[in-house]
Amino acid sequence: MAAPEMSRLEAWSRPESPDLALAPLAADLPARLAAVAPRVVVVGDAVLDQWLTGPSRRLSREAPVPVVEVDHTHGSPGAAANTAANLAALGARTEFVSVLGDDADGATVREVLAGFGVGTAGVVTDPSRPTAAKRRVLADEALVARFDTSSREPLDADRRAAVHDALRAAVEGADAVVVCDYGGGIVDDETVALVGSLLDAPGERSCRLVVDAHDPARWAPARPEVVTPNAGEAKLLLGRELGGPDRVAAAEAAGPELRERSGAASVVVTLDRDGALLLPDDGSPTHRTFARPAPEANTCGAGDTFTAALALALAAGTPAATAVELAQAAADVVVGRPGTSVCGTGELAERVAAAEGPLLDAASLATIVHDQRVAGRRVVFTNGCFDVVHRGHVASLNQAKRLGDVLVVALNSDESVSRLKGPERPLNPLADRAAVIGALSCVDHVTAFDADTPAELLDLLRPDVYAKGGDYTPEMLRETATVTAYGGRVVILDYLPDRSTTSLVDRIRSGS
C-alpha cells in the first residue's frame, strides 16, 4: 500500500504484482493475469446491442428497400456493459455500476452480464427511462438498417444518489476503476468528483483509474492513470484535427498537450487501422501497436475489448507497453468476428501465440522479403540476443518498425549468445526468445543466425534499412560495409541508458 503522503500518480508507478512487473507479451500472459484475478469496477453507460438477421429475397412495395425475413435475433452487452463482460471473460472479478430501465432490454443486459459472471449489485433500475439499445438489421450478412433507443436526460436526484452509493461500495478494495462515459447521462461532474475523492482516500491510492470517454477533459480533475481517446476524442481534447498525412506522428507530437488537457498520467490514442499509441509521461519512449486489418462492420465493440484488456493488465501490475500490446491483441480477436463480441482468456492466448509466428529459416525469409519488396513495401532489419526482453528492447523495436513497412528481427543462436555474452548465457533458449519477440505487434518476421554478426544474412536479404540499437555509430558496425555495398541505409536507434539484460541479470543475482 502506498504511504499516505504519496500522490496517486507516484503510487501508480509501483506494480502490485512483482511476478508481472517484467512480464513479456507471451502466450502464457493471459492465463497469468486471470490467475491474479484483479478486482475491477466498471462504471458508465450500458447499451443492449441487438442483431436481427435473415435472408432477403425481394424489395418492399412501399419503398425500394429489402424485406428481411428475420430468422435469428442475438443480443449482446454493449458500451460499458461490453467492457465489463470482456473483463470478466479475461478473468477479472468485475463489478458493474450503471443504470438500466425497467424493461425487457434491461433484463436482457442483466441476464447476459450474469452469464459472464459480472456482479450487478451496483446496477440501478430507473423505470422512467428506457434501456439504451442499438438494433441492427442484416440481410444476408449485409447491414441494411440500424435503429436506436436511448435517453440522454440526466438522472433524477434519487437515482443519482443510488448510483453514487453503489460506486462507493464497489470501489472499496478495488484494483482498478474503468469509466465508460459516452454521454448517456449515467455519469456527471459530481461522479467525476466522487471518483477522484474515493481514489484519493487512504488505502486506495494504488487503485488504477482508466477512462474511456467521449470528452476526456471532463475527467481531468480525477487525474486518471490512463485515458484512451480515439482520433475524434483526441480532436476534441486538442481543439483541432490530428493533422497531416501521418496521424501517428501527429498524435505523438501532441502527447504533452493531450496529457495536460486530460489530466492523465498516460494517454493511449486508439487509431483503428493504424493501431494504438501509448504516450507516457514517465520518460519512457512512446510505444505503438500495429492493428490487424478488419472490415469496418466487424469493429463494433473492439474499443470496449481494448479498454478491458488494458485495464486488466494494468490492474495486475503489467508494464504499460505490454498492457497496450495485450489490449491490441484482444481487439484483434473480436474484429475477426461479426457483431459485438467478447474476448476470453483462451482466445487471447491463442491470438498471442499465433502472433509469435514461426522461426523462419533464411531461405524462406528471403522469399518473403523479396515478395514484400516487389509489392512496394520497405523492409527494415534489426538483430540482437534479446535474452531477457526489457523496455529498451521494446522501444527500439517499435522505433525500427516505424522506419518502414515490414520489420525482420534476427536473433543470435544460443551458441552465438554464449560466445558473445559468456557460458552462462542465454538465460532463455532461442525458441522462447523468438516467441516473445514475435508476439510484439511491431515485429513481422523472426529468424536466427549462428555467426557473430548478421552480415551474411544481410547480404542475402538486402533490407532497405538496417537498424541497430545501442550506443553505436555506423562506423563502429562491421555490418555497415555490407549494407552500404548493396545500397541500403544504416540507422542507429535511440539509446535508452541503464536498460540492458546484463545489468538486469546482475541486479537479480545481487538481490538488489
Side-chain angles (χ1 to χ4, degrees), residues 20-169:
L20 291 169
L22 295 172
L25 183 66
D28 67 339
L29 182 57
R32 295 173 66 188
L33 293 172
V36 173
R39 186 167 172 272
V40 182
V41 177
V42 179
V43 56
D45 305 303
V47 172
L48 173 66
D49 276 327
Q50 197 170 59
W51 306 81
L52 295 84
T53 62
S56 176
R57 300 180 177 91
R58 59 193 173 91
L59 294 178
S60 171
R61 292 183 179 180
E62 295 96 333
V65 295
V67 175
V68 181
E69 301 170 16
V70 175
D71 57 17
H72 181 70
T73 301
H74 172 70
S76 301
N82 188 34
T83 302
N86 273 275
L87 273 159
L90 290 170
R93 292 170 291 142
T94 309
E95 298 291 329
F96 189 41
V97 177
S98 187
V99 176
L100 294 171
D102 187 13
D103 50 26
D105 289 347
T108 299
V109 173
R110 287 177 184 271
E111 180 182 355
V112 175
L113 288 176
F116 281 107
V118 176
T120 58
V123 177
V124 175
T125 300
D126 185 351
S128 69
R129 58 194 289 136
T131 298
K134 298 178 180 179
R135 291 180 170 84
R136 299 166 177 86
V137 182
L138 284 82
D140 300 315
E141 299 185 359
L143 182 65
V144 296
R146 183 180 120 179
F147 53 103
D148 296 358
T149 303
S150 64
S151 174
R152 297 186 180 276
E153 295 297 319
L155 299 175
D156 63 33
D158 290 342
R159 290 340 185 267
R160 176 72 59 205
V163 168
H164 289 178
D165 288 344
L167 192 54
R168 290 186 185 93

Side-chain angles (χ1 to χ4, degrees), residues 52 64 85 93 114 181 203 243 328 355 370 408 417 454 509:
L52 295 84
R93 292 170 291 142
D181 179 10
Q328 183 66 65
H370 174 268
V408 175
V417 175
R509 286 173 173 165

